[in-house]
Amino acid sequence: MKKALRIGLAALAVATVGTATAIFAHSGYTSDEYASAPFVQTAVLKRGASGGEVKELQRRLKQWGYYNGAVDGIYGNGTVEAVKKFQKKNGLKADGIAGKSTFAALGMNESVKALENEGKNNTASSGSDYTSSDLYLLAKTIYAEARGESYTGQVAVGAVILNRVASSKFPNTISGVVYQKHAFTAVSDGQINLTPDQTAMNAAQDAMNGWDPTYGCIYYYNPAVATSSWIFGRQTVTTIGKHVFAI
């Protein structure tokens, strides 16, 4: 399965927005922390969208009393109505679609910058099936599973996930692979919810750009902590840091 990345990477800087100070105070982020938080999307958000940026949108709306649903990263009817309420309250067009003006009012400055830079900083080829939400989820998984590993080791974990997406033996989306039952310890123990650092984001980007230090592996494990006897029977291809990569 051939896939190319279509991601407009936002500049890691905070745009000047009038409501930013109040929003950072409500959210718990400092301006510097938010500048490095990779909630970026290459398009406006509307009904049917999903991913980390939707989750951040929901979190902010819920914190201020506009949204009462689950912060699940799914842009459904509840999110649409919450956005409309927020837009009406802030003098914006109440269409339930989160674009640049809505992002600015919410203090989602990375999203503002992403839209401003769309078309200028697009590093992807045409025909991509991956989105920035996929990139963010991949980075989250890399950070949760391999943040103590070398950079190559982190890229390798990302490559395994992408190799699974390409394999007929696994789900054909990144979210499907990551959240497949019992597939990753980080999902089971909740570490998947940690915010990835820039190294994990870069590793995810490199994996999506085609760097595969595992040479096509679809499994990896730490032999010091692995408990499944089945995994030890897989054919080892390479070892990077504490992880054994296998097919």
Side-chain angles (χ1 to χ4, degrees):
M1 181 186 302
K2 183 178 180 181
K3 296 193 176 187
L5 178 64
R6 180 184 60 81
I7 299 173
L9 288 177
L12 293 178
V14 177
T16 302
V17 179
T19 57
T21 302
I23 286 170
F24 287 132
H26 281 291
S27 69
Y29 285 106
T30 65
S31 58
D32 288 340
E33 286 168 342
Y34 190 81
S36 62
F39 299 112
V40 290
Q41 178 82 16
T42 56
V44 297
L45 296 177
K46 56 186 177 180
R47 191 192 310 272
S50 62
E53 190 177 30
V54 176
K55 208 169 189 177
E56 177 65 5
L57 174 77
Q58 292 171 327
R59 187 186 70 77
R60 287 171 179 260
L61 290 170
K62 188 165 190 172
Q63 205 162 32
W64 303 326
Y66 293 97
Y67 178 64
N68 296 317
V71 180
D72 55 7
I74 300 171
Y75 207 114
N77 292 335
T79 304
V80 171
E81 292 307 312
V83 170
K84 284 181 179 179
K85 289 177 185 176
F86 176 82
Q87 290 169 328
K88 187 175 181 179
K89 183 73 172 178
N90 287 273
L92 303 171
K93 181 181 178 181
D95 56 7
I97 298 172
K100 188 165 73 170
S101 296
T102 301
F103 288 144
L106 283 165
M108 294 176 65
N109 301 304
E110 283 276 318
S111 301
V112 173
K113 297 295 287 185
L115 289 175
E116 289 176 346
N117 285 282
E118 187 177 15
K120 293 190 296 181
N121 294 325
N122 193 340
T123 60
S125 303
S126 59
S128 165
D129 293 327
Y130 289 135
T131 68
S132 59
S133 294
D134 291 323
L135 175 69
Y136 183 58
L137 178 56
L138 186 62
K140 282 175 65 178
T141 311
I142 290 171
Y143 184 75
E145 289 272 318
R147 60 185 178 276
E149 295 294 305
S150 66
Y151 185 72
T152 301
Q154 292 187 45
V155 176
V157 166
V160 167
I161 294 167
L162 297 179
N163 290 340
R164 288 191 178 190
V165 173
S167 171
S168 61
K169 297 178 181 179
F170 297 90
N172 62 359
T173 64
I174 290 176
S175 60
V177 166
V178 170
Y179 290 109
Q180 188 175 26
K181 192 172 182 179
H182 304 313
F184 293 96
T185 303
V187 174
S188 301
D189 65 17
Q191 291 193 63
I192 190 67
N193 297 314
L194 297 173
T195 300
D197 59 14
Q198 190 59 46
T199 299
M201 289 295 295
N202 293 342
Q205 177 80 72
D206 278 339
M208 281 188 167
N209 285 342
W211 182 15
D212 183 1
T214 77
Y215 309 105
C217 287
I218 53 177
Y219 302 103
Y220 68 89
Y221 62 95
N222 182 341
V225 297
T227 57
S228 171
S229 58
W230 175 86
I231 195 66
F232 292 107
R234 308 307 303 178
Q235 181 182 337
T236 297
V237 174
T238 187
T239 299
I240 304 173
K242 295 179 180 179
H243 285 142
V244 173
F245 293 86
I247 55 177

